[in-house]
Amino acid sequence: MRQKIVVTGGAGFLGSHVVMRLLALGNEVVVLDNFSNGKMSHLGSVCKHPQLTVIHGDITNKDDVDHAFMGCKTVIHLAVLDLRQSIKEPFRVNKVIVDGTLNCLEAAKENQVDLFLNCSSSEVYGSAVYVPMDEKHPLNPETPYAAAKVAQDMYVYSFGRTYGLCWTTIRPFNMYGPNSHWQGCRGEVIPKMIVRAMNRQPLVLFGSGNQTRDFLYVEEAAQAVIKVVSNPAAVYSQTLNLCRGKEISIRYIAELICREFNLNPTEFIQIQPSRPGDVMRHKGNNQIISEIIDFIPQIEIEEGIYRTIEWFKSLLNKPQELLSQEVLCNWI
Ligand SMILES: NC(=O)c1ccc[n+]([C@@H]2O[C@H](COP(=O)([O-])OP(=O)(O)OC[C@H]3O[C@@H](n4cnc5c(N)ncnc54)[C@H](O)[C@@H]3O)[C@@H](O)[C@H]2O)c1
C-alpha cells in the first residue's frame, strides 16, 4: 500500500497513531486538522516527514476540504468534536460532524476515491440492549454527539447508494493510550485518572462506577485502521465494530490506577453524582472485523494502562502543571 491518503483530524488522538503508521509504510499523507483538539506534538518525530503535508484547515470550510483532498485516493475521516462538548454546544458539534462530513463526502466523490473510511462511534448504540453488541444493535443515541454520529453514518451510506461512493464505517468503542486527552471536559476517563493519581488527587467516579466500557489500546486501533485501508475490496459497504469484546467497569479502572500508584482506593476514589449522557453498559462484538482483516487485539487492560502510565511519566515531569489544567475542568 503506497498512495496519497488524506486523514481528517490527523493530529488528534487516534489520527496521530494512524498517520505515523501510514508514513512508516511509505504513503504520502495529507493531514487536515484545525487543531481545536489536536496537537503537532502528537505527531512526534514525523511532523517534518517529507511525505507528510499538514493543512491547518477546517472540515466545515469547503475550500479547505477541496484543497486537502485533491489527488487523494483514500480518505480516513476522523475529525470530530467530542461528546461532552456536544452537551454544551450541540449546534457547534453538529456543524462539525454533519456539515463537515458532507463536505468530505462531496470532495471524496469529486476525487473518485477508492475508499472513504468513515469513523463512527459505539455511542450511536446507546447503552447495551443486549451484549455483546454487534453491528445490528439498535441505534439509540443518548447524546447530541451520538445523534450527529448517526447522521454522519447515514450520510456516508447514502453517498454509497446515490453516487456509488466506496465506503467503510468503523465503530470504535473506547480507546485509550498515548496522546489521549486529559484536559478539561474533553478529557477521557483513563488519562484523567492517571493525571489525578500522578498528582495524588482523588479519582472521580460519576454514579456507581459500575458503568462498563469496552477499552481498546489505541495502537491496536490504529493497526486495525491500516488493515482496513489496505484491504478495500474486503471492506466495501460494511460497518465494523472496533473493540476488544471485553467489558471493564470504570470502578475497576480506578482501582487499577490506584494500585499502580500505591494509592489506597478507599481514600482516593471519590463518588460524584452521575452525569447526563453516560451510557451504562458497552461490550462489543468484534467477530466481523476479526474475520475480515484478521484483527485480534492482544493488549489486556492491565498492560495497556501500565503502558499509558509510562507514556505520561516519560512525557511529563511536571505533574503540578498538569494538575493546573485538570482543576480548570468544568464538570458537567
Ligand atoms: N477516543 C475514543 O475513545 C473514540 C471512541 C469512539 C469513536 N471515536 C471516533 O474516533 C475518531 C477520532 O477521535 P479521537 O478520539 O482521535 O478525537 P480527537 O479529538 O483526539 O481528534 C479529532 C481531531 O479532529 C480535529 N478537528 C476537530 N474539529 C475539526 C474541524 N472542524 N476541522 C478539522 N479538524 C477538526 C481536532 O483538532 C482533533 O485533532 C472520531 O471520529 C471519534 O468520533 C473515538
Side-chain angles (χ1 to χ4, degrees):
M1 181 184 68
R2 281 185 186 201
Q3 45 172 307
K4 188 170 175 189
I5 300 177
V6 59
V7 185
T8 72
F13 169 43
L14 174 60
S16 56
H17 291 274
V18 169
V19 167
M20 285 188 268
R21 281 172 188 266
L22 290 172
L23 289 168
L25 290 168
N27 296 287
E28 189 182 340
V29 180
V30 179
V31 165
L32 175 62
D33 202 301
N34 70 354
F35 292 88
S36 54
N37 212 10
K39 289 185 195 153
M40 214 48 201
S41 62
H42 282 161
L43 294 168
S45 58
V46 303
C47 68
K48 295 216 157 49
H49 196 288
Q51 298 274 94
L52 173 67
T53 305
V54 177
I55 297 177
H56 194 140
D58 202 298
I59 59 166
T60 63
N61 180 315
K62 189 175 170 352
D63 291 342
D64 289 349
V65 176
D66 289 346
H67 172 50
F69 280 45
M70 203 180 301
C72 291
K73 283 294 156 205
T74 298
V75 177
I76 302 179
H77 177 42
L78 307 177
V80 79
L81 285 179
D82 60 275
L83 184 153
R84 290 284 134 209
Q85 202 150 357
S86 83
I87 294 174
K88 276 187 179 167
E89 297 183 90
F91 282 100
R92 181 166 170 230
V93 171
N94 183 74
K95 188 170 166 58
V96 172
I97 295 181
V98 180
D99 296 1
T101 296
L102 265 172
N103 279 333
C104 294
L105 285 166
E106 278 285 312
K109 182 182 70 153
E110 292 307 313
N111 280 281
Q112 299 180 330
V113 301
D114 295 331
L115 182 67
F116 186 98
L117 187 150
N118 172 51
C119 191
S120 176
S121 166
S122 61
E123 289 291 329
V124 298
Y125 297 133
S127 198
V129 174
Y130 59 81
V131 292
M133 302 158 85
D134 57 21
E135 290 81 355
K136 292 196 172 70
H137 188 282
L139 303 183
N140 296 322
E142 294 185 22
T143 54
Y145 167 87
K149 293 297 273 186
V150 172
Q152 169 177 339
D153 295 355
M154 293 298 110
Y155 269 119
V156 171
Y157 176 81
S158 76
F159 267 62
R161 300 288 293 185
T162 309
Y163 306 110
L165 183 83
C166 296
W167 61 273
T168 297
T169 289
I170 52 163
R171 258 187 204 143
F173 280 58
N174 282 69
M175 297 176 285
Y176 69 103
N179 293 350
S180 48
H181 306 289
W182 69 86
Q183 304 95 325
C185 300
R186 74 174 96 113
E188 294 129 18
V189 62
I190 291 178
K192 227 174 197 0
M193 284 187 176
I194 291 175
V195 170
R196 292 188 71 88
M198 283 168 84
N199 289 281
R200 302 188 68 77
Q201 292 292 309
L203 278 54
V204 179
L205 298 180
F206 292 102
S208 65
N210 296 329
Q211 308 92 308
T212 62
R213 297 289 181 272
D214 189 332
F215 287 102
L216 180 65
Y217 193 64
V218 67
E219 287 180 12
E220 294 196 305
Q223 199 181 7
V225 170
I226 301 297
K227 284 190 169 195
V228 167
V229 296
S230 307
N231 295 286
V235 296
Y236 282 151
S237 312
Q238 301 224 36
T239 298
L240 308 167
N241 281 346
L242 181 53
C243 57
R244 264 187 78 68
K246 292 190 179 172
E247 64 184 326
I248 309 278
S249 76
I250 304 301
R251 178 177 291 279
Y252 180 71
I253 297 288
E255 288 167 356
L256 200 57
I257 293 172
C258 280
R259 200 162 74 208
E260 290 291 338
F261 284 92
N262 288 321
L263 302 176
N264 177 355
T266 321
E267 192 186 337
F268 278 92
I269 295 181
Q270 193 184 84
I271 304 286
Q272 288 193 8
S274 52
R275 301 182 296 180
D278 262 351
V279 299
M280 268 316 288
R281 189 173 189 197
H282 265 182
K283 178 185 178 185
N285 180 330
N286 61 12
Q287 196 181 341
I288 297 182
I289 197 165
S290 306
E291 284 171 8
I292 293 183
I293 60 160
D294 190 24
F295 171 66
I296 300 168
Q298 305 288 342
I299 300 173
E300 297 291 345
I301 189 75
E302 293 79 5
E303 170 66 17
I305 289 213
Y306 171 77
R307 291 189 194 188
T308 309
I309 290 172
E310 289 303 299
W311 177 77
F312 270 105
K313 282 183 181 166
S314 75
L315 187 70
L316 301 147
N317 294 318
K318 298 177 192 160
Q320 277 315 119
E321 247 175 54
L322 277 181
L323 181 65
S324 65
Q325 296 183 54
E326 164 70 10
V327 291
L328 289 176
C329 173
N330 229 340
W331 298 106
I332 295 176

